[in-house]
């Protein structure tokens, strides 16, 4: 990024019908509405088993995760497991291009494997603007015992789910977007669903070190996170062990997760955790308390200030480096994957734009604003009916110098199985984009790529008037969603799907459609195609 290369084996590349030799973990979720007051004003939120945020999914690398979801909302719902690669199994990815939503009053059981992954992630609902009402929670994947991690075991682990928050209901916000309006500015910032409470969220014992898993689960704003008086040693981000630098604060863009170590070696008392908006005219701040077990003093009311400007954030990003000697989910070191020696077979440039269609706000990639279809794209493709639902490759790999107007249509790019593709995100706008630097990208910029220790992760931010380059290996057959993490942008079209088809139609490359997979649209009453074989 910013003249560097981000290695991203993301786009939700896959997992499902799994082998019996790996352990299973089971969850049952009751998804309901409830009334709480995150900002001090009663409002309707989405609860999972009565919790806001939702319960954590606690897994170990290669576990099979089974989540039975009972939808007791008044609308259809889907959940995505952001960052889980879903090997060979886009059937469980939880996006509207891959799955039919779970109807009110019914249930659906997700079944996926966290194959060869470790790290900090989170889940959230992808339907409508449900994420604005909650329904999110942490998803952690521990390393297997036989795989060493490059730091000592912490005394405990704590989730820190930070995000901007709107006091208006998700239905009101959705009406804003449907009518052509913007969401406007958030009303505050939450830390684990609360803000401003003087009751401690976590307790630390003097002299011990703790692991904090920090994720920005918000809708719109990049946030800066810090803990009063305590440096944070960054050890992992989105499944990759990193070179262990210490930071007084971290910029966490929408959809991103970091794991840090914090040592309780200061005066025993209360301290504030602080999350505040970045790159906004008016700063919004959320706070929470961390308490020393033997503490007897209140936290200082003087909050540590956030950094100022884009340059600070960009320079911090440049300091993130892959730990080449550490193992991740497998015994071999991360650095044994020499991505810089791979030949790129295709380059796709994606330029984000904002415009109006018949007076209504729309966001687009290369001039196409994605529209969800009644029949999920994956199902249409699997049943051999793709031509009745969408067209492939309606955007070109190299957009025209000027993008005039916007086309509303399903946006599906076809990618060749097992090819290596370079994607350039170009952001001509005034706000930071988060998917997943200076000026426009040109091929000469490749000379400045980091081809040694860029971090493998599933999100990337793109600063205003800048670009970011990522590389992906499409070795995972399925239908994968590349989306803006900003809820308004995604809902109004700033996303696309990448179809990766295996020419062999073999179980070695992709699992068969699950027996209990929901069917809808034009495939609802059709017999299933012949299953794949070895």
């Amino acid at each position: 990024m910013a003249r560097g290369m981000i290695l991203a084996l993301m786009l939700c590349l896959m997992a499902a019908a799994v082998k019996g030799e790996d352990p299973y973990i089971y969850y049952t979720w009751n998804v309901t509405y409830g009334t709480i007051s995150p900002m001090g004003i009663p409002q309707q939120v989405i609860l999972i088993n009565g919790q806001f945020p939702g319960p954590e999914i606690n897994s170990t690398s290669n576990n099979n995760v089974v989540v039975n979801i009972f939808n007791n909302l008044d609308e259809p719902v889907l959940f995505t497991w952001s960052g889980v690669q879903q090997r060979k199994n886009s059937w469980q990815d939880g996006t509207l291009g891959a799955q039919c939503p779970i109807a009110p009053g019914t249930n659906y059981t997700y079944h996926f494997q966290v194959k060869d992954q470790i790290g900090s992630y989170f889940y959230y609902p992808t339907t409508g603007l449900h994420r604005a009402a909650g329904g999110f929670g942490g998803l952690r994947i521990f390393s297997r015992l036989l795989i060493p991690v490059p730091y000592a075991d912490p005394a405990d682990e704590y989730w820190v789910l930070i995000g901007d928050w709107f006091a208006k209901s998700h239905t009101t916000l959705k009406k804003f977007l449907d009518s052509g309006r913007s969401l406007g500015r958030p009303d505050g910032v939450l830390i684990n669903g609360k803000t401003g409470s003087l009751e401690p969220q976590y307790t630390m014992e003097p002299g011990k070190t703790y692991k904090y898993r920090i994720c920005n689960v918000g809708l719109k704003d990049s946030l800066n996170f810090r803990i009063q008086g305590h440096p944070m040693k960054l050890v992992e981000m989105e499944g990759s062990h990193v070179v262990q630098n210490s930071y007084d604060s971290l910029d966490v863009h929408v959809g991103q997760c970091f794991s840090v170590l914090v040592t309780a070696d200061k005066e025993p008392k209360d301290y504030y955790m602080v999350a505040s908006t970045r790159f906004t005219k008016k700063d919004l701040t959320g706070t929470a308390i961390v308490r020393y077990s033997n503490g007897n003093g209140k936290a200082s009311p003087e909050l540590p200030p956030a950094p100022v400007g884009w340059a600070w954030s960009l320079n911090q990003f440049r300091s993130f480096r892959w730990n080449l000697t550490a193992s991740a989910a497998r015994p071999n070191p991360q650095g044994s994957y020499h991505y810089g020696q791979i030949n790129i077979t295709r380059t796709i440039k994606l330029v984000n734009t904002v415009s109006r269609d018949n007076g209504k706000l729309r966001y687009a990639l290369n001039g196409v604003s994605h529209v969800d279809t009644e029949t999920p794209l994956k199902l249409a493709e699997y049943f051999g009916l793709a031509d009745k639902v969408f067209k492939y490759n309606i955007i070109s790999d190299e957009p025209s110098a000027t993008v005039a107007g916007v086309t509303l249509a399903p946006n599906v790019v076809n990618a060749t199985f097992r090819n290596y593709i370079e994607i350039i995100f170009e952001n001509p706008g005034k706000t930071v984009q988060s998917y997943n630097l200076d000026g426009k990208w040109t091929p000469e910029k490749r000379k400045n790529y980091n081809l040694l220790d860029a971090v493998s992760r599933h999100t990337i931010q793109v600063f205003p008037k800048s670009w970011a380059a990522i590389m992906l290996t499409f070795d995972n057959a399925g239908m994968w969603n590349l989306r803006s993490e900003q809820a308004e942008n995604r809902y109004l079209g700033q996303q696309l799907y990448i179809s990766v088809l295996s020419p062999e139609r073999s179980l070695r490359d992709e699992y068969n459609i699950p027996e209990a997979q929901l069917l809808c649209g034009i495939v609802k009453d059709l017999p299933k195609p012949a299953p794949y074989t070895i």
Side-chain angles (χ1 to χ4, degrees), residues 294-356:
N294 63 338
N296 55 10
K298 294 182 179 180
S300 168
E302 186 175 343
L303 301 180
V308 177
W310 304 95
W312 186 96
S313 189
L314 178 57
N315 288 332
Q316 181 177 82
F317 171 80
R318 286 172 168 163
S319 72
F320 299 153
R321 290 289 184 265
W322 222 13
N323 185 332
L324 300 181
T325 60
S327 301
R330 292 184 174 184
N332 51 303
Q334 293 177 149
S336 62
Y337 182 62
H338 301 293
Y339 68 89
Q341 300 175 12
I342 295 171
N343 292 323
I344 300 297
T345 56
R346 181 181 177 188
T347 296
I348 302 174
K349 183 189 289 187
L350 298 175
V351 179
N352 57 271
T353 56
V354 57
S355 59
R356 292 193 173 270

Side-chain angles (χ1 to χ4, degrees), residues 130-394:
H130 284 139
R131 184 167 166 180
F136 48 75
L139 192 165
R140 81 173 111 191
I141 310 175
F142 287 108
S143 178
R144 291 175 291 163
L145 292 178
L146 64 114
I147 309 295
V149 295
Y151 50 87
D153 290 342
D156 207 342
E157 294 198 3
Y158 298 138
W159 279 105
V160 183
L161 302 181
I162 58 178
D164 52 18
W165 188 257
F166 290 81
K168 296 181 178 65
S169 70
H170 75 282
T171 53
T172 298
L173 295 175
K174 183 174 179 293
K175 288 177 182 177
F176 284 174
L177 298 184
D178 290 340
S179 68
R181 296 174 54 185
S182 171
L183 292 179
R185 296 296 307 142
D187 295 291
V189 173
L190 302 183
I191 300 179
N192 294 332
K194 302 176 182 178
T195 188
S197 173
L198 296 180
E199 290 300 313
Q201 287 201 7
Y202 299 120
T203 299
M204 300 192 296
E205 294 185 26
K208 294 187 176 181
T209 297
Y210 295 80
K211 186 175 184 178
Y212 287 75
R213 297 178 184 261
I214 307 158
C215 295
N216 185 341
V217 300
L219 302 180
K220 193 164 189 171
D221 287 327
S222 300
L223 299 176
N224 181 267
F225 178 79
R226 57 257 190 216
I227 301 177
Q228 203 173 39
H230 289 73
M232 301 175 289
K233 181 183 288 186
L234 182 64
V235 295
E236 176 262 331
M237 61 174 68
E238 297 167 21
S240 287
H241 294 303
V242 297
V243 173
Q244 296 179 14
N245 295 322
S246 290
Y247 300 90
D248 291 327
S249 69
L250 286 167
D251 273 359
V252 190
H253 304 281
V254 181
Q256 296 184 348
C257 292
F258 297 93
S259 293
V260 301
L261 298 178
V262 177
T263 299
D265 57 1
K266 301 297 185 287
E267 178 187 351
K269 62 173 187 174
D270 288 355
Y271 292 89
Y272 279 114
M273 294 190 291
V274 184
S276 58
T277 55
R278 291 278 275 134
F279 323 125
T280 55
K281 291 182 179 179
K282 179 183 177 182
D283 292 338
L284 299 174
T285 299
T287 61
I289 291 290
V290 176
R291 176 168 293 173
Y292 277 55
S293 60
N294 63 338
N296 55 10
K298 294 182 179 180
S300 168
E302 186 175 343
L303 301 180
V308 177
W310 304 95
W312 186 96
S313 189
L314 178 57
N315 288 332
Q316 181 177 82
F317 171 80
R318 286 172 168 163
S319 72
F320 299 153
R321 290 289 184 265
W322 222 13
N323 185 332
L324 300 181
T325 60
S327 301
R330 292 184 174 184
N332 51 303
Q334 293 177 149
S336 62
Y337 182 62
H338 301 293
Y339 68 89
Q341 300 175 12
I342 295 171
N343 292 323
I344 300 297
T345 56
R346 181 181 177 188
T347 296
I348 302 174
K349 183 189 289 187
L350 298 175
V351 179
N352 57 271
T353 56
V354 57
S355 59
R356 292 193 173 270
D357 178 69
N358 294 322
K360 292 188 175 182
L361 186 67
R362 296 296 302 189
Y363 294 87
L365 293 170
N366 293 5
V368 174
S369 184
H370 176 78
V371 177
D372 287 316
T373 54
E374 182 183 2
T375 305
L377 308 170
K378 176 60 181 174
L379 287 177
E381 189 176 69
Y382 186 79
F383 278 80
L385 299 172
D387 61 332
K388 298 184 182 301
V389 176
F390 65 92
K391 294 180 179 179
Y392 293 104
N393 302 320
I394 62 174

